[in-house]
Amino acid sequence: MNKEKRRQILERLRTNNPHPETELEFSSPYELLVAVALSAQATDVSVNKATRKLFPIANTPEAMLNLGVEGVKAHIKTIGLYNTKAENVIKAARILVEQHNGEVPQDRAALEKLPGVGRKTANVVLNTAFGWPTIAVDTHIFRVSNRTKFAVGKNVDEVEQKLLKVVPAEFKVDVHHWLILHGRYTCLARKPRCGSCLIEDLCEFKEKVYPEE
């Protein structure tokens, strides 16, 4: 895909949604960190349902430690892998209290040292909580980037590096959200909604799907 076509795609996505936001509910960097960690292999809807009850009780690392592993489990047991996630949430809270004065660090290396936090989660926190021009690549972004030919890569790391290279600076902060939402609601995995896609004429996917007339 050429540079001009990419720019047109990004301009259309921006026009359609000038201020995209994550669908995870949060009111602080720490709440976002926990929500993103819980969202691995789970839907944002299921995470929001759990955190609406969890965060009023524990929305700081100190309060989370006071709640304890079993207390966290009780609130997130409707989410997949909740046992491991609860343990990671408590371990991460302890590190934040002991090493970062209870604050979420604006530092990738420090974030990635937290249990349950990988590169993707760190990218989301840096981007969404702190406004960094990072691009977290999840399954939606990986699919959309490859299917449209916007940024082709064999794995999430390759796609991330390609996106960082080809996305102009003015779009970098928001492109993560645009591509996720596009993959979640239009460019679906099994049957993309090409007939209602706002970038359909720019997309280079050769097997486009249209509703039967």
Side-chain angles (χ1 to χ4, degrees), residues 68-121:
V69 173
E70 293 307 316
V72 174
K73 284 182 183 179
H75 285 87
I76 68 168
K77 58 188 177 183
T78 54
I79 300 174
L81 307 174
Y82 73 93
N83 284 315
T84 300
K85 289 177 180 178
E87 291 175 3
N88 285 337
V89 164
I90 292 299
K91 289 175 184 174
R94 184 169 290 111
I95 291 172
L96 290 174
V97 169
E98 294 176 353
Q99 299 180 21
H100 302 286
N101 298 314
E103 300 291 329
V104 176
Q106 290 193 51
D107 178 271
R108 179 190 299 284
L111 285 170
E112 290 187 23
K113 286 180 181 177
L114 297 173
V117 177
R119 183 176 180 85
K120 186 185 80 172
T121 298

Side-chain angles (χ1 to χ4, degrees), residues 35-195:
V36 178
L38 294 179
S39 72
Q41 298 180 48
T43 65
D44 288 0
V45 172
S46 68
V47 172
N48 289 338
K49 190 174 180 181
T51 57
R52 281 173 200 151
K53 295 179 179 179
L54 173 63
F55 288 158
I57 298 169
N59 70 340
T60 66
E62 294 86 355
M64 201 67 77
L65 284 174
N66 290 334
L67 189 59
V69 173
E70 293 307 316
V72 174
K73 284 182 183 179
H75 285 87
I76 68 168
K77 58 188 177 183
T78 54
I79 300 174
L81 307 174
Y82 73 93
N83 284 315
T84 300
K85 289 177 180 178
E87 291 175 3
N88 285 337
V89 164
I90 292 299
K91 289 175 184 174
R94 184 169 290 111
I95 291 172
L96 290 174
V97 169
E98 294 176 353
Q99 299 180 21
H100 302 286
N101 298 314
E103 300 291 329
V104 176
Q106 290 193 51
D107 178 271
R108 179 190 299 284
L111 285 170
E112 290 187 23
K113 286 180 181 177
L114 297 173
V117 177
R119 183 176 180 85
K120 186 185 80 172
T121 298
N123 274 336
V124 173
V125 172
L126 291 171
N127 174 270
T128 305
F130 301 120
W132 285 32
T134 56
I135 304 175
V137 178
D138 70 349
T139 54
H140 294 301
I141 293 180
F142 182 78
R143 178 177 68 256
V144 171
S145 297
N146 276 291
R147 182 183 275 166
T148 61
K149 301 297 187 286
F150 188 98
V152 177
K154 295 176 183 175
N155 53 54
V156 293
D157 291 333
E158 283 188 14
V159 170
E160 179 186 341
Q161 294 309 312
K162 187 66 179 288
L163 286 169
L164 289 170
K165 182 179 178 181
V166 302
V167 174
E170 66 182 286
F171 301 106
K172 272 201 171 84
V173 171
D174 292 325
V175 70
H176 160 79
H177 294 305
W178 288 327
L179 293 179
I180 279 183
L181 294 171
H182 192 66
R184 188 172 287 166
Y185 296 110
T186 303
C187 198
L188 308 182
R190 293 186 180 178
K191 192 174 181 181
R193 296 170 177 166
C194 301

Side-chain angles (χ1 to χ4, degrees), residues 6-58:
R6 287 194 184 97
R7 172 168 280 279
Q8 287 183 49
I9 286 174
L10 293 168
E11 286 178 345
R12 285 190 196 177
L13 293 173
R14 179 170 63 186
T15 299
N16 182 63
N17 187 0
H19 306 291
E21 297 178 347
T22 178
E23 293 185 324
L24 290 171
E25 297 171 1
F26 73 100
S27 60
S28 69
Y30 179 66
E31 286 188 2
L32 178 65
L33 176 70
V34 172
V36 178
L38 294 179
S39 72
Q41 298 180 48
T43 65
D44 288 0
V45 172
S46 68
V47 172
N48 289 338
K49 190 174 180 181
T51 57
R52 281 173 200 151
K53 295 179 179 179
L54 173 63
F55 288 158
I57 298 169

